[in-house]
């Protein structure tokens, strides 16, 4: 599909518009710091929740960067960081096959059971 | 499924307000548009630190200095959230940084204007962050999940930016004649460039607007610009200052403020790299990147060494 988008928004200036002649340089030659995922427990008693990701050379730096990037306003009391490559994700294309079997097991839900109104505390 | 069916299923999802996530199928043009927009947005946050960083060491009090540092640090954070969101579309951080440093990638032109006096810190917070907020609030509902989530986080932090800017001007507006003049002059300098932040007029667009259809964007440039003008034209009354536009006038029929013509030649000139500070901004980013090279290399070497030590122990 080839769609011409020629209306430019804030933060959306097309590649062709304006050019300049600084010479090309590259930092890709340096090897890159790996990507980490950050999870934050916002307060005692709650689960850790995914907050975002960042780059760091090692776990210690990932932890410090996570503190600076994601908890500048006391957003958390506990942090987990894990290198992104260790996360295995389900495939959205398989979602139907993967989750479908659960949808015909309505008896897993309490509302499936028709019980007399007189029955209390259940 | 054929490409046509995939595209239809994709548009159905968008129409039903279902967010698109990184591993979902998406049209190539959708991916590219998001990638360009998110990375430019990230670059804008990063370069945006420079005009304000300029005043950290010269802030008039310790309180103002602490506030300014906190704001600039937030902008660095915003850049990082956005780079992460862009990376989910299949580019690398290094590639984006390279494109910024080489001048290939664009960032918001507003940051190519200089900050000449302390009052500019107020005007930038109030007008520049104010304009950015209108855009970003809208983007909290953008269709690409990682972008929308980054925006929610950013919007929570932005309102302090705008408030501290207005307060800075408010204090100056109650000061000596010199301070009041400084306040007015900063507003005069930043008003028109702030209006340009919303981009060209809607009428400049001839094609149907794909970004709206894909719900990447939910309001047009002119709508957002009008919202901004209506808001600022009221707020400025509290400062007892004026906006530098003789045509600015409430239109009872439209229930909006009318305003004068924007200098689009200046806009494109700055986009093309000929603004007052384009060269300076890129030079500053390049310098920081070059001077940080040894730190990046050392951190990597240290991580490598520790990993080897651990492995040797395990063996
Ligand atoms: Fe920001
Ligand atoms: Fe900001």
């Amino acid at each position: 599909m080839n769609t011409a988008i020629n209306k430019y928004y804030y933060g959306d200036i097309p590649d062709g518009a304006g050019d300049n002649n600084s010479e090309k340089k590259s930092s890709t030659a340096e090897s890159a710091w790996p990507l980490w995922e950050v999870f934050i427990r916002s307060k005692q008693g709650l689960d850790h929740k995914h907050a975002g990701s960042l780059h760091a050379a090692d776990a210690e730096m990932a932890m410090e960067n996570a503190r600076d990037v994601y908890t500048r306003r006391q957003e958390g009391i506990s942090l987990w960081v894990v290198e992104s490559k260790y996360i295995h994700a389900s495939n959205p294309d398989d979602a139907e096959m993967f989750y479908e079997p659960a949808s015909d097991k309505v008896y897993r839900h309490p509302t499936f059971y028709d019980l007399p109104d007189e029955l209390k505390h259940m | 499924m054929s490409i046509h069916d995939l595209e239809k299923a994709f548009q159905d999802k968008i129409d039903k307000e279902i967010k698109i996530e990184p591993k979902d199928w998406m049209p190539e043009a959708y991916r590219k548009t998001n990638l360009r927009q998110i990375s430019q947005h990230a670059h804008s946050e990063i370069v945006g630190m420079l005009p304000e960083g300029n005043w950290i060491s010269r802030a008039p009090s310790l309180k103002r200095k602490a506030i300014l540092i906190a704001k600039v640090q937030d902008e660095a954070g915003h850049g990082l959230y956005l780079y992460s969101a862009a990376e989910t579309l299949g580019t690398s951080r290094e590639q984006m940084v390279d494109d910024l440093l080489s001048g290939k990638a664009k960032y918001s032109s507003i940051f190519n204007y200089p900050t000449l006096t302390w009052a500019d810190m107020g005007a930038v917070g109030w007008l520049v962050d104010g304009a950015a907020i209108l855009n970003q609030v809208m983007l909290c509902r953008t269709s690409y999940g990682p972008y929308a989530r980054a925006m929610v986080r950013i919007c929570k932090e932005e309102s302090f930016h705008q408030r501290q800017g207005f307060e800075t001007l408010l204090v100056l507006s109650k000061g000596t004649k010199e301070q009041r003049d400084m306040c007015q002059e900063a507003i005069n300098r930043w008003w028109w460039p702030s209006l340009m932040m919303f981009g060209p007029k809607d009428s400049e667009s001839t094609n149907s607007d794909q970004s709206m259809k894909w719900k990447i964007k939910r309001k047009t440039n002119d709508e957002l610009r009008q919202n901004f003008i209506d808001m600022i034209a009221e707020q400025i009354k509290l400062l007892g200052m004026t906006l530098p536009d003789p045509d600015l006038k409430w239109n009872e029929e439209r229930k909006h403020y009318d305003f004068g013509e924007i200098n689009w030649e200046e806009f494109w000139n700055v986009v093309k790299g000929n603004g007052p500070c384009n060269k300076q901004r890129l030079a500053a980013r390049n310098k920081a990147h070059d001077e940080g090279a040894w730190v990046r290399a050392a951190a990597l070497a240290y991580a490598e060494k520790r990993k080897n030590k651990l492995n040797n122990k395990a063996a």
Side-chain angles (χ1 to χ4, degrees):
Chain A
M1 189 160 92
N2 240 340
T3 318
I5 295 168
N6 65 352
K7 188 152 131 197
Y8 318 132
Y9 298 119
Y10 168 66
D12 186 23
I13 305 158
D15 293 331
D19 22 42
N20 57 66
N21 26 23
S22 334
E23 82 270 33
K24 177 87 191 116
K25 60 154 43 179
S26 178
S27 63
T28 21
E30 302 167 15
S31 44
W33 290 349
L35 188 66
W36 299 73
E37 301 301 320
V38 178
F39 299 81
I40 302 176
R41 164 175 279 158
S42 58
K43 64 180 207 213
Q44 203 65 34
L46 295 183
D47 290 325
H48 284 77
K49 198 175 152 216
H50 186 239
S53 38
L54 50 77
H55 289 268
D58 58 21
E60 200 183 326
M61 187 195 276
M63 198 64 93
E64 281 165 10
N65 289 358
R67 179 201 57 199
D68 292 345
V69 179
Y70 291 102
T71 66
R72 287 193 301 284
R73 289 177 177 77
Q74 297 171 297
E75 285 90 342
I77 53 152
S78 163
L79 278 175
W80 287 350
V81 291
V82 59
E83 241 187 283
S84 310
K85 67 178 182 194
Y86 294 118
I87 300 215
H88 298 266
S90 61
N91 185 346
D93 297 338
D94 300 340
E96 218 171 302
M97 213 168 66
F98 204 61
Y99 303 108
E100 182 58 25
S103 73
D104 59 8
K105 296 183 176 57
V106 282
Y107 46 82
R108 282 179 172 164
H109 298 279
T111 45
F112 178 75
Y113 303 91
D114 205 0
L115 298 173
D117 291 346
E118 301 84 68
L119 184 69
K120 299 292 178 209
H121 306 299
M122 194 180 281
Chain B
M1 262 204 268
S2 72
I3 269 281
H4 181 79
D5 292 341
L6 284 167
E7 272 168 13
K8 196 182 166 306
F10 176 82
Q11 189 62 50
D12 283 350
K13 258 165 104 176
I14 302 249
D15 293 342
K16 280 192 245 161
E17 299 290 332
I18 298 171
K19 295 277 186 238
I20 307 303
E21 294 297 339
K23 292 183 112 193
D24 296 344
W25 186 90
M26 61 186 85
E28 186 53 20
Y30 177 86
R31 195 188 66 79
K32 273 200 178 140
T33 304
N34 262 297
L35 181 54
R36 186 180 59 219
Q37 188 173 326
I38 300 170
S39 59
Q40 283 180 4
H41 197 157
H43 298 325
S44 302
E45 302 284 351
I46 296 300
V47 177
M49 290 191 280
L50 296 169
E52 288 175 302
N54 182 34
W55 279 91
I56 289 176
S57 63
R58 293 178 287 164
S61 69
L62 188 57
K63 178 183 108 175
R64 292 290 169 189
K65 188 172 184 166
I67 291 171
L68 195 54
I69 291 174
K71 181 183 187 288
V72 171
Q73 195 189 10
D74 274 354
E75 306 301 4
H78 297 174
L80 295 178
Y81 305 154
L82 286 161
Y83 280 132
S84 296
E87 279 172 87
T88 64
L89 290 162
T91 187
S92 70
R93 182 77 55 105
E94 292 69 35
Q95 185 60 55
M96 286 186 279
V97 171
D98 282 353
D99 288 347
L100 173 65
L101 296 180
S102 72
K104 183 173 171 237
K106 297 289 178 286
Y107 54 85
S108 180
S109 282
I110 192 78
F111 303 116
N112 289 320
Y113 289 86
T115 44
L116 302 180
T117 69
W118 170 251
D120 289 47
M121 295 302 95
V124 166
W126 178 41
L127 298 173
V128 176
D129 286 76
I133 288 169
L134 279 183
N135 185 58
Q136 295 180 147
V137 165
M138 168 195 74
L139 288 171
C140 287
R141 294 172 56 236
T142 192
S143 59
Y144 187 56
Y147 194 21
R149 289 191 287 276
M151 281 297 125
V152 169
R153 196 176 288 283
I154 286 173
C155 283
K156 277 188 199 152
E157 301 180 348
E158 283 290 357
S159 81
F160 131 67
H161 297 180
Q162 198 188 15
R163 291 173 70 99
Q164 66 82 33
F166 190 84
E167 197 219 14
T168 296
L169 294 182
L170 193 62
V171 169
L172 290 172
S173 76
K174 290 175 181 158
T176 62
K177 163 119 187 21
E178 279 91 346
Q179 286 171 320
R180 289 198 306 275
D181 288 350
M182 191 164 87
C183 179
Q184 182 63 60
E185 281 158 20
I187 293 169
N188 292 351
R189 274 197 296 279
W190 288 94
W191 173 246
W192 291 106
S194 303
L195 295 190
M196 295 176 198
M197 282 174 72
F198 297 98
K201 283 200 259 194
D202 295 347
S203 55
E204 301 296 298
S205 163
T206 46
N207 280 20
S208 71
D209 193 356
Q210 189 67 56
S211 274
M212 293 288 271
K213 192 165 167 243
W214 279 334
K215 295 187 182 169
I216 294 173
K217 176 104 181 175
R218 287 167 176 269
K219 283 186 178 181
T220 70
N221 296 358
D222 286 340
E223 280 177 86
L224 284 169
R225 186 162 23 237
Q226 184 71 62
N227 289 163
F228 179 71
I229 291 168
D230 292 347
M231 185 176 89
I232 298 298
E234 288 300 317
Q235 291 175 350
I236 195 159
K237 292 177 183 169
L238 289 166
L239 294 175
M241 299 280 147
T242 54
L243 292 169
D245 179 0
D247 296 325
L248 188 80
K249 209 171 89 224
W250 177 252
N251 182 326
E252 185 56 35
E253 215 170 287
R254 289 202 312 129
K255 299 278 178 221
H256 286 297
Y257 276 89
D258 290 337
F259 55 97
E261 193 54 51
I262 291 167
N263 181 350
W264 293 112
E265 206 183 303
E266 175 184 325
F267 173 79
W268 286 113
N269 207 23
V270 182
V271 169
K272 290 190 174 110
N274 305 318
C277 301
N278 293 56
K279 293 203 171 63
Q280 199 182 323
R281 299 296 183 233
L282 267 197
R285 285 315 310 157
N286 274 289
K287 180 167 181 276
H289 189 76
D290 293 345
E291 290 179 356
W294 72 269
V295 180
R296 294 190 296 277
L300 211 54
Y302 178 68
E304 207 47 46
K305 195 173 130 191
R306 291 223 324 193
K307 211 189 285 165
N308 290 340
K309 244 190 203 160
L310 271 174
N311 287 348
N312 288 344
K313 246 188 218 161

Short mmCIF file of all heavy atoms in Angstrom, two decimals, chain A residues 12 21 40 44 49 89:
data_model
loop_
_atom_site.label_atom_id
_atom_site.label_comp_id
_atom_site.label_asym_id
_atom_site.label_seq_id
_atom_site.Cartn_x
_atom_site.Cartn_y
_atom_site.Cartn_z
N ASP A 12 6.27 15.59 13.10
CA ASP A 12 6.15 14.74 11.92
C ASP A 12 6.53 15.51 10.67
O ASP A 12 5.69 15.88 9.87
CB ASP A 12 4.74 14.17 11.80
CG ASP A 12 4.65 13.18 10.65
OD1 ASP A 12 5.70 12.63 10.27
OD2 ASP A 12 3.55 12.96 10.13
N ASN A 21 23.80 19.44 5.34
CA ASN A 21 24.94 18.76 4.76
C ASN A 21 26.00 18.32 5.78
O ASN A 21 27.16 18.23 5.45
CB ASN A 21 25.56 19.63 3.67
CG ASN A 21 25.27 21.09 3.93
OD1 ASN A 21 25.00 21.46 5.08
ND2 ASN A 21 25.30 21.93 2.90
N ILE A 40 7.69 -2.26 37.83
CA ILE A 40 7.65 -1.47 39.07
C ILE A 40 6.52 -1.92 39.98
O ILE A 40 5.38 -2.11 39.53
CB ILE A 40 7.44 0.03 38.75
CG1 ILE A 40 8.56 0.55 37.85
CG2 ILE A 40 7.37 0.85 40.03
CD1 ILE A 40 8.37 1.99 37.40
N GLN A 44 3.41 -1.32 48.39
CA GLN A 44 3.44 -2.61 49.07
C GLN A 44 2.11 -3.33 48.90
O GLN A 44 1.05 -2.72 49.09
CB GLN A 44 3.72 -2.36 50.57
CG GLN A 44 4.33 -3.54 51.29
CD GLN A 44 5.73 -3.87 50.79
OE1 GLN A 44 6.47 -2.99 50.42
NE2 GLN A 44 6.07 -5.15 50.76
N LYS A 49 4.46 -4.20 37.83
CA LYS A 49 3.78 -3.97 36.57
C LYS A 49 4.78 -3.44 35.55
O LYS A 49 5.65 -2.64 35.89
CB LYS A 49 2.68 -2.94 36.81
CG LYS A 49 1.62 -2.90 35.74
CD LYS A 49 0.51 -1.95 36.13
CE LYS A 49 -0.12 -1.39 34.89
NZ LYS A 49 -0.54 -0.03 34.97
N ALA A 89 7.21 -14.07 24.15
CA ALA A 89 5.87 -13.53 24.00
C ALA A 89 5.02 -14.45 23.14
O ALA A 89 5.52 -15.11 22.23
CB ALA A 89 5.94 -12.15 23.36
#
